[in-house]
Amino acid sequence: MKFGAIDIGTNAARLLVGEVEKEGEHSFVKKISYTRVPLRLGEEVFDDGKISKKKTEDFVKTIQAFKLISEIFDVKKLRAVATSAMREAVNSEKIIEKILDETGVQIEVISGDEEAELIFGTFFLLDFDKTHPFIVIDVGGGSTEVSVFESGERVASKSFEIGTIRLLKEKVKKDIWTEIHDWIASHVDLKSPHRLFGTGGNINKVHKMLGAGQLEALSVKAISTLRNELAELSVSQRVDQFQLKPDRADVIVPAMDIYLYILKELKAKDILVPKIGLSDGMIYQMHLNSKKK
């Protein structure tokens, strides 16, 4: 059964059409179609606190397009969720109403905790030792979620108001880095080795740029070297030299700065990139719900 997951982030809106399949004892989310539109809701929200009329029109068209694509693929259930930028936009309720009226798609604004929960749903499909302590870092355009797992249970989780668009717009609190440091010091036993996982479009792109294999860890040294190389280039040079999309080229360095800071605080040498995210989690949850029915 095919499902459609719309993830409306701070930087981009994405539609994943997928289904859950089994391979031996393991289930996985099979990706059938993926569409990404660089809406950039956060650019306006972090400056003006709201989404403009022009951006709202683009938003409506994006959802209309996603609905049509879902229909082409004969999607049985479509779910749309919005994260950080829509949580903060003062006119988000009006926009949700307008989109529902014009497209028939209901958008849910979810918390950082709900976002993390959905991502972790598919994490447990991955083939690794869940009894070993691990940490998941998810860097988005508006927020960064850090979650700590021990014996397969989430023991601590925090959503920090720092993301790539927030950093670009200089809308990050001065003490945010101290807040991250203090939280890690209070919630992570640094004497105990943890496996690190990174999720989000930017770390996926870094993984690809560094030519790493499917579940090959990226070293902090390699990420740092690439970060410094990119930081010396203008956005247009990054586009030309690394074939990055313009809306990826400007946020990739701020994203790497956040990952590298957290990895340093965790005294980590490397990070694994499973290339799963919020939309995978949504597909998996819809699959589980359909089985219950």
Side-chain angles (χ1 to χ4, degrees), residues 56 251 291:
T56 300
V251 295
K291 281 182 77 176

Side-chain angles (χ1 to χ4, degrees), residues 57-234:
E57 286 167 9
D58 292 344
F59 197 169
V60 171
K61 287 174 190 168
T62 299
I63 301 301
Q64 282 169 335
F66 285 173
K67 192 181 179 189
L68 284 169
I69 292 166
S70 300
E71 287 169 2
I72 290 163
F73 282 100
D74 195 25
V75 159
K76 295 299 176 215
K77 168 87 177 153
L78 181 66
R79 186 183 181 193
V81 305
T83 56
S84 184
M86 284 290 278
R87 284 199 288 267
E88 292 185 33
V90 294
N91 59 341
S92 63
E93 282 185 23
K94 280 185 181 175
I95 291 168
I96 287 166
E97 229 172 86
K98 183 179 173 66
I99 288 171
L100 181 60
D101 286 346
E102 296 193 26
T103 70
V105 175
Q106 177 70 60
I107 292 170
E108 307 164 50
V109 178
I110 61 170
S111 68
D113 273 351
E114 286 175 276
E115 192 177 344
E117 284 291 344
L118 282 165
I119 294 167
F120 303 140
T122 37
F123 241 87
F124 286 89
L125 299 179
L126 295 174
D127 188 15
F128 71 97
D129 182 5
K130 319 299 191 293
T131 61
H132 188 86
F134 67 96
I135 295 170
V136 182
I137 307 161
D138 181 65
V139 175
S143 63
T144 293
E145 277 73 43
V146 182
S147 299
V148 185
F149 289 82
E150 287 171 15
S151 306
E153 297 288 323
R154 186 161 60 140
V155 295
S157 183
K158 175 79 173 168
S159 182
F160 297 97
E161 283 197 354
I162 182 170
T164 57
I165 301 288
R166 258 191 230 276
L167 274 177
L168 281 180
K169 304 293 284 181
E170 298 181 348
K171 298 293 180 182
V172 174
K173 291 184 295 185
K174 284 179 185 171
D175 61 351
I176 192 71
W177 303 106
T178 308
E179 191 185 324
I180 295 170
H181 166 86
D182 292 347
W183 187 86
I184 287 171
S186 301
H187 293 89
V188 182
D189 178 7
L190 295 173
K191 294 189 197 80
S192 169
H194 288 75
R195 185 175 276 145
L196 274 288
F197 291 95
T199 60
N202 285 294
I203 197 73
N204 290 351
K205 180 56 75 175
V206 169
H207 189 267
K208 190 177 180 181
M209 289 168 78
L210 289 171
Q214 178 66 33
L215 263 178
E216 184 186 343
L218 300 181
S219 72
V220 168
K221 189 179 176 185
I223 298 169
S224 186
T225 301
L226 178 61
R227 182 255 171 229
N228 294 338
E229 192 178 343
L230 289 168
E232 287 177 9
L233 305 173
S234 66

Side-chain angles (χ1 to χ4, degrees), residues 15-27:
L15 166 69
L16 174 65
V17 175
E19 58 191 350
V20 177
E21 292 199 345
K22 274 199 109 167
E23 200 171 74
E25 290 300 303
H26 291 282
S27 295

